[in-house]
Amino acid sequence: DAGVIQSPRHEVTEMGQEVTLRCKPISGHDYLFWYRQTMMRGLELLIYFNNNVPIDDSGMPEDRFSAKMPNASFSTLKIQPSEPRDSAVYFCASSPQSTGNTIYFGEGSWLTVV
Amino acid sequence: QQQVKQSPQSLIVQKGGISIINCAYENTAFDYFPWYQQFPGKGPALLIAIRPDVSEKKEGRFTISFNKSAKQFSLHIMDSQPGDSATYFCAASIPWNAGNMLTFGGGTRLMVKP
């Protein structure tokens, strides 16, 4: 099993630029999550999908953030325009409904906005 | 509003010692309590988990102790090894069919000295 695949692994961008993070969940998983990790705030849930439908986006910090899941094998998290305070590690994770809450994380996308 | 409080933030233990990390929760609807382990540059990975119908679960050197009345649970790492040095997160979840979301504690950075 390939696990959750995220890209890019590292990105450095200038303030004001658009950033797109990509995720391929584990095949067959019903849930997909986007988390953000910072030293100050720890692991924060941004948004999650069930069967490609966004269920809860209350963790999305502001309108500059958007997430889509056009099909069961692909999701994007977009930041436009990016700001230095968006610098963080962004994790995508997926979960099969059958296991009751076990979440499998990708290796993360390290974003630096300068 | 942090629903899962984790302590300590950092912990240094000698090789062979016992590492203890504590978590407290507020929401009595939580029914699943996992611990995740995260190595530098990697995503968190499930280490061990417990449901509130048991007071203890042991897997190798790792044990979860659960106190439902006190709304607390803890991770004990016996015979701690340098390879256990990582960040540990406790988490809690409501029943998956009511919304499959994990709430994470703030994390504990464990260093095991050789």
Side-chain angles (χ1 to χ4, degrees):
Chain A
D1 203 341
V4 176
I5 299 173
Q6 292 186 245
S7 65
R9 289 297 317 278
H10 299 271
E11 174 141 352
V12 180
T13 190
E14 291 186 347
M15 182 174 64
Q17 296 298 305
E18 178 178 292
V19 174
T20 300
L21 307 178
R22 298 172 177 80
C23 175
K24 177 179 169 56
I26 295 173
S27 177
H29 282 194
D30 306 282
Y31 288 86
L32 183 138
F33 307 83
W34 282 101
Y35 283 88
R36 178 171 69 176
Q37 185 175 37
T38 61
M39 290 294 292
M40 290 297 294
R41 301 176 67 89
L43 269 169
E44 301 175 274
L45 177 65
L46 300 178
I47 185 172
Y48 80 97
F49 297 81
N50 182 17
N51 293 322
N52 313 339
V53 176
I55 302 301
D56 187 343
D57 65 354
S58 60
M60 296 286 261
E62 40 194 284
D63 292 345
R64 297 185 297 107
F65 286 69
S66 62
K68 294 182 179 179
M69 191 166 186
N71 57 63
S73 59
F74 183 67
S75 176
T76 60
L77 177 67
K78 187 174 293 188
I79 309 172
Q80 166 64 19
S82 58
E83 297 182 4
R85 60 193 168 118
D86 301 330
S87 298
V89 184
Y90 291 82
F91 287 102
C92 178
S94 68
S95 172
Q97 189 161 296
S98 60
T99 65
N101 315 86
T102 300
I103 291 180
Y104 300 83
F105 284 82
E107 296 203 326
S109 292
W110 295 67
L111 173 65
T112 302
V113 183
V114 297
Chain B
Q1 186 176 359
Q2 187 180 10
Q3 296 190 60
V4 181
K5 294 184 178 179
Q6 183 171 347
S7 62
Q9 287 187 317
S10 62
L11 181 62
I12 300 175
V13 175
Q14 291 294 131
K15 178 182 175 181
I18 302 174
S19 303
I20 302 174
I21 305 171
N22 300 299
C23 283
Y25 63 97
E26 299 168 3
N27 188 347
T28 55
F30 287 148
D31 76 337
Y32 176 71
F33 302 89
W35 285 88
Y36 279 76
Q37 180 188 53
Q38 183 181 26
F39 292 107
K42 301 293 185 181
L46 180 65
L47 181 64
I48 186 173
I50 197 169
R51 294 197 181 271
D53 52 345
V54 296
S55 60
E56 186 175 281
K57 183 173 182 180
K58 184 176 180 180
E59 291 185 0
R61 296 183 295 108
F62 300 90
T63 300
I64 299 179
S65 296
F66 184 82
N67 185 330
K68 188 174 181 179
S69 61
K71 293 188 286 186
Q72 295 175 348
F73 59 110
S74 59
L75 176 69
H76 296 235
I77 306 174
M78 310 300 289
D79 186 26
S80 299
Q81 300 296 312
D84 297 330
S85 298
T87 300
Y88 293 81
F89 293 93
C90 63
S93 174
I94 59 176
W96 68 264
N97 57 1
N100 190 1
M101 296 192 303
L102 281 177
T103 300
F104 283 90
T108 296
R109 185 170 293 183
L110 170 66
M111 180 186 296
V112 181
K113 288 191 169 182

